[in-house]
Amino acid sequence: MNFFERAYEILEPILPRKFDENEWFTIFITILVLSVFTYLHKRYNTLLTTEIIAILLFNLLYTTVGDYFLAMEPYDLYDTVDHDSGELMDILLQTIVYPFTLLILMNYYAEKSLNNLLYIMFGAGLLLGLEWVGTEFFNLFTYKKWKLWYSLIFYIPVMISNIFFYNKFHGYIKSQIRGN
């Protein structure tokens, strides 16, 4: 068995069953989210590198733990892309799309002085809208016992915890800068 055959054998369980609209959408949304963040960061440079890393790690943890508990046994409420668990495109969604979307939202939050309640509703609505588009038009999720409106119940605490986390972390960073 040569190197490529062995590599394929190892990767085969996480490769898409077929390369269709949900893989194209995942690639598109990954590029879009990274492009928007890069533009905002270069244009406004609102968040410090430490804040960017902290927000990304916080949301990477959030999405990984959330998907693990909700999409795996014993609950098994939904599937993502082509498999019932872990696929290559899941890696993009969990490590780039979801954390960077929240990073964009928090970048905008940090840039403007916004009403927390309205911003929580805006962010949760935006995340719900993105999920609806991904599910309705690109078969990104296959709901088993999950309903779309459950996601709103999930996204509201996501936004609350992100705003709380950002405010606390930002305050800590500012106090450290002032203390030096």
Side-chain angles (χ1 to χ4, degrees), residues 58-77:
F58 179 72
N59 285 292
L60 180 61
L61 175 67
Y62 220 128
T63 186
T64 304
V65 171
D67 272 350
Y68 178 79
F69 282 109
L70 297 174
M72 305 293 279
E73 293 292 338
Y75 303 111
D76 195 22
L77 301 174

Side-chain angles (χ1 to χ4, degrees), residues 25 122-135 137 148 155:
F25 180 70
F122 168 76
L126 179 70
L127 293 168
L128 184 69
L130 289 171
E131 182 177 328
W132 178 79
V133 168
T135 302
F137 299 106
L148 181 64
Y155 291 140

Side-chain angles (χ1 to χ4, degrees), residues 133-152:
V133 168
T135 302
E136 189 70 24
F137 299 106
F138 300 102
N139 301 313
L140 199 58
F141 298 100
T142 302
Y143 298 144
K144 295 175 178 179
K145 302 171 204 163
W146 191 260
K147 304 280 186 239
L148 181 64
W149 68 271
Y150 295 174
S151 296
L152 185 61

Side-chain angles (χ1 to χ4, degrees), residues 37 94 108 135:
F37 172 72
Q94 285 186 345
Y108 190 75
T135 302

Side-chain angles (χ1 to χ4, degrees), residues 29-152:
I29 198 76
T30 300
I31 293 168
L32 179 66
V33 166
L34 288 174
S35 298
V36 168
F37 172 72
T38 302
Y39 169 78
L40 289 174
H41 185 61
K42 286 185 180 208
R43 169 103 178 169
Y44 300 105
N45 198 19
T46 303
L47 299 172
L48 300 170
T49 302
T50 335
E51 293 170 324
I52 291 169
I53 292 169
I55 291 168
L56 287 175
L57 289 174
F58 179 72
N59 285 292
L60 180 61
L61 175 67
Y62 220 128
T63 186
T64 304
V65 171
D67 272 350
Y68 178 79
F69 282 109
L70 297 174
M72 305 293 279
E73 293 292 338
Y75 303 111
D76 195 22
L77 301 174
Y78 57 85
D79 292 339
T80 309
V81 285
D82 295 339
H83 294 278
D84 60 353
S85 65
E87 181 188 308
L88 193 57
M89 293 298 152
D90 281 336
I91 295 169
L92 290 177
L93 292 170
Q94 285 186 345
T95 60
I96 298 174
V97 174
Y98 185 78
F100 273 88
T101 301
L102 280 150
L103 183 59
I104 291 166
L105 284 167
M106 295 318 299
N107 189 77
Y108 190 75
Y109 175 82
E111 177 72 25
K112 311 288 182 199
S113 294
L114 302 168
N115 177 297
N116 284 352
L117 180 61
L118 290 177
Y119 201 67
I120 290 165
M121 299 314 294
F122 168 76
L126 179 70
L127 293 168
L128 184 69
L130 289 171
E131 182 177 328
W132 178 79
V133 168
T135 302
E136 189 70 24
F137 299 106
F138 300 102
N139 301 313
L140 199 58
F141 298 100
T142 302
Y143 298 144
K144 295 175 178 179
K145 302 171 204 163
W146 191 260
K147 304 280 186 239
L148 181 64
W149 68 271
Y150 295 174
S151 296
L152 185 61

